[in-house]
Amino acid sequence: MGDELRRIRETCTDLGGAKMAVRLGWHPSKVTNIEKGKARASEIDLVQFLTACDKDIDFFEDFRRRYQNAFEEYVVQVHDDLRTLAFAESTAKVITSYTPGGVPGLFQTPEYADALYRLGGFVAEERIPNLVRFRVERQAILRRHQPPTCLFYVHEVRHEALDVRVRVRGPCRLVVAAAG
């Protein structure tokens, strides 16, 4: 799988591994390790990598079918809705959102996301670490050389069990409206 990812990068972009890492907002060693098969790529990683190579969701689904056994061993799979969201975020130039009941996922700290999943009670506890990791991996788009411009509107978030911290990076604005 790693060899094919390297081939796709080399044939579909004019980027070396280090420049690809900058485009993705990743550490350069992450690209190298994924392409050499030394690191496990999540579906979010693969979505971001393939969209940086101008591949669409149909290409991704075909790629996933061809490497089905590799995915079972190396990739923790995500729900289709999250994969679709990651594709949309990876290709977006502008992201605008209104969130009435919490901090947007692109700004959540791992601790906040973990607490949110645990308090919600809708997810099996053993799945929480991977879900938190996916949320944090999605934030790589904000570290890109040319990240999307983001504008998020949220109501004031008050929850005594959650320490509300957000990360605002790149050309992003977070507008918090006080609850009335």
Side-chain angles (χ1 to χ4, degrees):
M1 181 165 66
D3 287 337
E4 180 157 357
L5 289 170
R6 181 185 41 74
R7 184 190 58 74
I8 292 168
R9 175 182 51 80
E10 291 174 347
T11 58
C12 297
T13 74
D14 60 351
L15 302 173
K19 288 188 178 182
M20 179 66 138
V22 169
R23 177 176 283 181
L24 293 170
W26 295 356
H27 190 278
S29 65
K30 183 172 182 175
V31 172
T32 301
N33 290 335
I34 288 173
E35 289 182 351
K36 289 186 177 186
K38 293 180 179 179
R40 294 181 177 175
S42 70
E43 281 197 44
I44 300 298
D45 292 335
L46 293 173
V47 163
Q48 292 175 349
F49 188 96
L50 293 172
T51 57
C53 295
D54 293 323
K55 301 300 180 188
D56 61 14
I57 197 162
D58 293 328
F59 183 92
F60 175 81
E61 292 299 337
D62 181 59
F63 184 89
R64 192 169 77 153
R65 275 190 292 279
R66 285 185 285 129
Y67 288 97
Q68 183 173 359
N69 292 333
F71 272 74
E72 290 171 7
E73 183 177 349
Y74 293 111
V75 179
V76 180
Q77 297 183 25
V78 298
H79 190 274
D80 289 344
D81 292 343
L82 183 55
R83 187 178 320 114
T84 301
L85 177 62
F87 262 102
E89 291 171 344
S90 291
T91 58
K93 302 279 187 232
V94 175
I95 299 174
T96 303
S97 174
Y98 169 73
T99 309
V103 176
L106 287 176
F107 295 123
Q108 292 177 4
T109 63
E111 298 79 16
Y112 179 91
D114 183 88
L116 199 61
Y117 282 121
R118 289 181 193 286
L119 288 171
F122 297 110
V123 177
E125 188 162 335
E126 63 271 8
R127 292 189 58 223
I128 292 173
N130 283 332
L131 292 170
V132 170
R133 186 176 56 122
F134 296 146
R135 184 151 296 177
V136 172
E137 287 173 353
R138 284 179 36 223
Q139 295 172 359
I141 67 167
L142 301 176
R143 295 186 298 271
R144 290 180 175 172
H145 175 64
Q146 294 180 323
T149 301
C150 302
L151 177 58
F152 291 89
Y153 296 93
V154 297
H155 276 289
E156 183 176 10
V157 179
R158 291 188 189 270
H159 196 296
E160 59 193 49
L162 296 177
D163 181 11
V164 179
R165 292 190 190 129
V166 297
R167 297 175 179 158
V168 180
R169 295 184 176 135
C172 299
R173 286 187 28 213
L174 182 65
V175 178
V176 180

